[in-house]
Amino acid sequence: MSLQSIKYSRGSLEILDQLLLPVQSKYVAVRGVEDGWKVINKMQVRGAPAIAIVGCLSLAVEIHPEEFGSKKSLRQEVEGKLNYLVSARPTAVNMKIAADELLVLANDLTKDETIDVGEMKQRFLSATEAMLKKDIADNRAIGAHGAKAILQRVAETSGAPAGAGVRVLTHCNTGSLATAGYGTALGVVRQLAELGKLEHVYCTETRPYNQGARLTAYELVHEKFPATLVLDSMVAALLRAKNVAAVVVGADRVAANGDTANKIGTYQIAVVAKHHDVPFYVAAPLTSIDLAIPGGDHIIIEERPDREMTHVGEHRIAAPGINCWNPAFDVTPAALITGIITERGVFKPAELKEAINKLLDS
Ligand SMILES: CSC[C@H]1O[C@H](OP(=O)(O)O)[C@H](O)[C@@H]1O
């Protein structure tokens, strides 16, 4: 049983094939950008941060053995292949942000007359490799900020005895299998557990890919957390009956106003949480926040193949001939979001844009 979604050393990249989990734990070699695009598009690896890291590392393993005649030719190869990788899945912004940052680096290195093409390649490889450690550090910070915010909110509003543990609900998979490690929303759950404050965690099965039943449950069992799997259709009954203190989910793209695209089903959980006065948190690194778009209506929502709904593996579960609608994500309006938990702190949606701009300026 492994929770390491990405295995990398310079010149070598493997990903844990998440289509086979939880029954089979098998690593798949990613030999270059074509492989990288395929494993992302097929969702053998998924999760906004993991998509960006695997995409960029697939470029790193491709250019590592290559000799480039000039810095310009290296830059042109980098630009073309980064744009290709961004096309693998359109909703999560992390790959686009990483591609933009790496292209700025490639342009700067091209202009830097103090280094040759060999040094440029080494610096480019180092920059892509740094994403792994940074993501884990970001996730641990998200976990710390998120756990503190939830415990503080519960202490202020629920009347629970000081120091009591909390019961939380999460959706989809936002753990080590969606990132370089530790996780975003599941990083908050891990931090609550590390503080001895996790009374119980509920995870939804998250049809149709079943990230919750197959991946989050896999992580929670691995960690031996007190956890229960629920159907997506049970969330209203759960919030009514089980004294859930908070909902914490991930994000694929957070717009400047705080509207958030996340796994399909997130929006209706947010509506139900509002009805039951349960705080609803989004946990996301700054690399998932897209200040270039004003609101959720501007987010492209990926539609996945009907077969992901009509079959479980090779077994058909829907009537042949029925039409399907299979958007992979939906958008939760900022008005339903209590706070956006990032590695730099927790922000109300209305404060997000100004706070992030201040952080970026500093
Ligand atoms: C930290 S993962 C963020 C996000 O990615 C997942 O989508 P997918 O499994 O389709 O890649 C899900 O929406 C998570 O919340």
Side-chain angles (χ1 to χ4, degrees):
M1 191 180 226
S2 170
L3 296 185
Q4 190 177 355
S5 61
I6 303 164
K7 283 184 177 177
Y8 175 83
S9 57
R10 187 161 283 194
S12 170
L13 173 62
E14 291 183 313
I15 57 102
L16 184 58
D17 185 344
Q18 297 186 30
L19 288 174
L20 302 178
L21 291 175
V23 172
Q24 191 179 356
S25 183
K26 180 183 174 187
Y27 284 89
V28 170
V30 176
R31 294 172 300 272
V33 166
E34 281 293 334
D35 286 351
W37 193 96
K38 283 176 187 167
V39 297
I40 291 168
N41 181 260
K42 284 174 60 183
M43 296 181 67
Q44 287 175 277
V45 64
R46 30 63 52 200
I51 288 169
I53 293 164
V54 168
C56 294
L57 290 179
S58 75
L59 176 58
V61 294
E62 179 160 324
I63 68 173
H64 171 251
E66 287 184 25
E67 295 298 327
F68 293 87
S70 67
K71 294 200 286 184
K72 185 181 176 185
S73 63
L74 172 54
R75 181 209 166 283
Q76 286 173 339
E77 167 130 349
V78 159
E79 182 173 20
K81 294 193 169 168
L82 286 171
N83 288 334
Y84 174 63
L85 286 161
V86 170
S87 71
R89 294 192 70 196
T91 302
V93 71
N94 305 57
M95 183 66 232
K96 177 70 170 65
I97 287 178
D100 290 346
E101 290 177 354
L102 288 173
L103 190 54
V104 166
L105 173 66
N107 284 328
D108 292 347
L109 293 173
T110 302
K111 294 169 193 165
D112 183 345
E113 295 178 358
T114 66
I115 63 167
D116 63 16
V117 63
E119 175 61 18
M120 176 178 173
K121 187 173 87 170
Q122 294 308 311
R123 295 205 192 172
F124 188 83
L125 292 176
S126 298
T128 58
E129 293 159 356
M131 293 172 71
L132 280 163
K133 284 184 180 176
K134 182 181 184 303
D135 187 52
I136 294 172
D138 288 350
N139 294 338
R140 287 190 175 276
I142 287 169
H145 286 304
K148 182 181 175 186
I150 289 173
L151 292 171
Q152 190 170 333
R153 171 88 184 210
V154 169
E156 288 168 357
T157 59
S158 74
V166 292
R167 304 161 77 86
V168 297
L169 166 69
T170 193
H171 184 56
C172 196
N173 175 256
T174 60
S176 296
L177 297 174
T179 64
Y182 201 74
T184 56
L186 219 56
V188 174
V189 172
R190 285 190 162 100
Q191 180 68 16
L192 286 168
E194 288 167 23
L195 293 171
K197 302 292 186 187
L198 180 68
E199 183 182 323
H200 209 92
V201 52
Y202 296 92
C203 62
T204 59
E205 65 172 346
T206 318
R207 283 274 299 149
Y209 183 98
N210 299 314
Q211 288 93 334
R214 299 191 301 111
L215 307 179
T216 298
Y218 182 87
E219 292 200 44
L220 295 174
V221 168
H222 183 275
E223 303 278 16
K224 298 184 173 56
F225 288 164
T228 300
L229 175 66
V230 299
L231 300 179
D232 301 330
S233 54
M234 291 179 180
V235 168
L238 179 76
L239 296 194
R240 184 175 184 177
K242 295 292 184 182
N243 190 30
V244 172
V247 177
V248 58
V249 300
D252 292 82
R253 192 181 294 236
V254 182
N257 70 346
D259 291 350
T260 296
N262 195 55
K263 185 52 47 193
I264 187 72
T266 303
Y267 174 32
Q268 67 186 20
I269 291 172
V271 170
V272 170
K274 192 74 172 180
H275 177 76
H276 288 279
D277 197 23
V278 173
F280 182 93
Y281 291 95
V282 168
L286 298 189
T287 52
S288 297
I289 297 174
D290 184 1
L291 296 182
I293 57 165
D297 291 343
H298 294 73
I299 300 175
I300 296 170
I301 299 299
E302 174 190 10
E303 300 223 0
R304 301 282 306 174
D306 293 357
R307 185 180 176 88
E308 291 183 1
M309 287 177 67
T310 60
H311 289 70
V312 176
E314 294 309 308
H315 181 62
R316 171 179 282 277
I317 59 169
I322 186 63
N323 290 321
C324 293
W325 182 45
N326 188 16
F329 305 99
D330 57 25
V331 175
T332 299
L336 297 177
I337 298 172
T338 307
I340 297 170
I341 304 164
T342 76
E343 65 275 26
R344 302 295 297 273
V346 183
F347 306 103
K348 293 186 185 326
E351 301 165 353
L352 184 71
K353 183 174 182 178
E354 184 179 352
I356 301 294
N357 278 328
K358 277 182 182 171
L359 288 170
L360 296 176
D361 290 347
S362 66

